[in-house]
Amino acid sequence: MSVGRTIFLQCPWIPHFPNSSSSPNPVALKFTVSCCSLASPAAVVNGNLEKKSHDRNEVRLGLPSKGRMATDTLDLLKDCQLSVRQVNPRQYVAEIPQISNLEVWFQRPKDVVRKLVSGDLDLGIVGLDTVMEFGQGNEDLILVHDSLDYGDCRLSLAIPKYGIFENINSLKDLAEMPQWTPERPLRIATGFTYLGPKFMKDNGLNHVTFSTADGALEAAPAMGIADAIVDLVSSGTTLRENNLKEIQGGVIVESQAVLVASRKSLIQRKGVLDITHEMLERLEAHLKAVGQFTVTANMRGSSAEEVAERVLSQPSLSGLEGPTISPVFCKRDGKVAADYFAIVICVPKKALYKSVQQLRMIGGSGVLISPLTYIFDEETPRWRQLLSVLGL
């Protein structure tokens, strides 16, 4: 509730201005101060009144606000016909017109996870490494989709190629080095202050200290600041250019973009489960269709069964669950006849040309090829898994 208070201040002196004929008399000044009660469930964000998590009715989806992950996330949603509309690029709130009652909030990835835990967000798309680092095993976080096929990287331990590490090629070798003692522990620089120490402890490396750093970690060993680093690695080029190497057993997390949700929101907040279902179906259908092509061809035959026999004799022509074969009707001498059959199969990109060759070899002609956009299953497997995890 808003509270207003009027305050009177008695000023014993005011400055005398040259052009003023008035004498410096005491003046009473009146101020009206308005404030919000500490119990108020509202705050102002971007000029809008933001309701606290327990009062709001809208479902909230958190997305990365900057960087490659942010761009790739928006591209994926657009490919799923879930384009994000942001009226003002300076604002942190947007919408997906195809899904009613859904707010999109652009946040730092770590804040997406934190706000899922606090209940200020219901769903989020971030890297798995971020979920694990800032979720810290919180049981309220559920991976709805663990493989969105972008943002691939790994959180890995890297050591120098030179000096005392020259012949160290595994985590076991590193742990057995006699140099590490309570007085002289292994020094590791990292921005992952939860996963790094946990990994070392779980693997029996006890004499270890960590220093926190956010960027340019690869320079730390050369500068003498650290003996090793724990950082995200994509291609490994940056490590190699700084004379660092990964070691066997040193990968902490294989990461990529994931869809994560709050268990509490899925169960308790109206609309979250339905929106999650729709997003999951769209994501699954699109990702399953990526790299798949529909191949259509005509083939002369005496019956659909005879044509199917020829098609299935070729290893690249089985499709998802087998070819679809239907008669092609034409009119000859005033009569309708079906001397040809149309074959429709689904083929992965890597087998596309081989499939065309095999179709020609068994009598196929007029081959048409078109990319697939979606492949909807009878029921999304991950949806069944989610309901099972929720006990629904």
Side-chain angles (χ1 to χ4, degrees):
M1 173 179 286
S2 179
V3 177
R5 180 177 296 174
T6 301
I7 301 173
F8 291 91
L9 298 179
Q10 185 74 26
C11 298
W13 176 86
I14 58 172
H16 177 69
F17 295 98
N19 296 330
S20 174
S21 59
S22 61
S23 60
N25 296 320
V27 178
L29 301 180
K30 178 181 176 182
F31 297 90
T32 299
V33 181
S34 296
C35 63
C36 291
S37 167
L38 293 177
S40 172
V44 176
V45 177
N46 295 327
N48 298 318
L49 195 64
E50 179 194 15
K51 293 182 180 179
K52 290 296 183 181
S53 59
H54 59 273
D55 281 344
R56 62 182 169 85
N57 295 316
E58 301 82 8
V59 177
R60 289 178 176 174
L61 168 67
L63 300 182
S65 56
K66 295 179 182 179
R68 179 68 180 272
M69 179 71 80
T71 302
D72 290 348
T73 300
L74 293 178
D75 288 344
L76 173 64
L77 291 174
K78 184 178 179 180
D79 289 339
C80 297
Q81 301 298 310
L82 294 174
S83 295
V84 176
R85 185 171 70 183
Q86 189 177 15
V87 178
N88 185 343
R90 293 182 178 274
Q91 288 187 332
Y92 291 102
V93 64
E95 65 176 354
I96 297 178
Q98 288 80 4
I99 301 181
S100 60
N101 202 41
L102 177 67
E103 291 180 347
V104 175
W105 287 82
F106 292 103
Q107 302 283 297
R108 294 182 301 177
K110 62 183 179 182
D111 289 335
V112 170
V113 179
R114 287 168 174 165
K115 289 177 181 179
L116 282 167
V117 172
S118 68
D120 294 306
L121 292 174
D122 306 303
L123 298 160
I125 297 179
V126 290
L128 177 60
D129 59 286
T130 306
V131 175
M132 295 180 68
E133 171 67 17
F134 296 98
Q136 300 186 3
N138 192 300
E139 293 184 356
D140 188 57
L141 297 177
I142 295 180
L143 290 182
V144 178
H145 199 300
D146 60 355
S147 181
L148 295 179
D149 286 353
Y150 69 95
D152 297 80
C153 61
R154 57 191 178 275
L155 182 61
S156 192
L157 173 68
I159 61 175
K161 296 179 180 179
Y162 49 85
I164 61 173
F165 299 101
E166 185 174 359
N167 297 316
I168 303 300
N169 297 305
S170 69
L171 191 63
K172 182 175 181 291
D173 294 341
L174 184 66
E176 292 175 351
M177 290 179 69
Q179 284 87 347
W180 319 131
T181 65
E183 294 75 26
R184 175 57 174 93
L186 174 67
R187 301 168 303 157
I188 298 177
T190 186
F192 289 82
T193 55
Y194 172 75
L195 289 177
K198 183 178 184 300
F199 177 76
M200 291 299 168
K201 183 179 179 181
D202 292 347
N203 285 276
L205 282 85
N206 298 317
H207 305 313
V208 183
T209 60
F210 287 84
S211 59
T212 304
D214 292 326
L217 289 180
E218 294 83 4
M223 295 178 70
I225 299 172
D227 302 305
I229 67 171
V230 168
D231 201 9
L232 294 175
V233 180
S234 295
S235 64
T237 301
T238 305
L239 290 181
R240 290 189 294 271
E241 289 178 347
N242 286 275
N243 290 315
L244 298 176
K245 63 182 178 182
E246 295 177 89
I247 56 177
Q248 183 181 352
V251 175
I252 301 172
V253 177
E254 292 281 359
S255 182
Q256 63 175 299
V258 297
L259 174 63
V260 62
S262 160
R263 180 192 298 267
K264 189 179 295 183
S265 291
L266 288 169
I267 295 174
Q268 297 180 1
R269 190 176 299 285
K270 182 180 178 181
V272 176
L273 198 60
D274 290 338
I275 287 175
T276 302
H277 189 198
E278 180 174 348
M279 288 188 65
L280 190 55
E281 284 214 306
R282 287 174 179 262
L283 288 166
E284 287 272 71
H286 169 69
L287 292 172
K288 189 170 183 178
V290 171
Q292 298 284 342
F293 289 81
T294 299
V295 178
T296 306
N298 289 336
M299 187 178 297
R300 187 184 290 273
S302 57
S303 67
E305 290 76 10
E306 185 266 326
V307 171
E309 192 82 28
R310 275 188 279 162
V311 172
L312 292 173
S313 68
Q314 303 300 312
S316 297
L317 302 182
S318 58
L320 292 176
E321 296 179 1
T324 300
I325 299 172
S326 54
V328 177
F329 294 97
C330 60
K331 202 166 186 180
R332 286 200 184 93
D333 300 327
K335 294 182 179 180
V336 175
D339 297 331
Y340 282 86
F341 291 84
I343 305 144
V344 181
I345 56 173
C346 182
V347 175
K349 185 177 182 179
K350 61 183 180 181
L352 187 57
Y353 184 65
K354 192 173 186 179
S355 299
V356 173
Q357 287 179 310
Q358 291 178 1
L359 275 172
R360 287 171 172 168
M361 189 170 64
I362 60 175
S365 61
V367 181
L368 304 177
I369 297 170
S370 57
L372 280 170
T373 306
Y374 306 103
I375 299 176
F376 284 95
D377 286 320
E378 184 176 349
E379 187 177 34
T380 306
R382 283 187 172 88
W383 174 246
R384 293 196 298 268
Q385 294 171 11
L386 177 60
L387 293 180
S388 176
V389 169
L390 295 174
L392 300 176

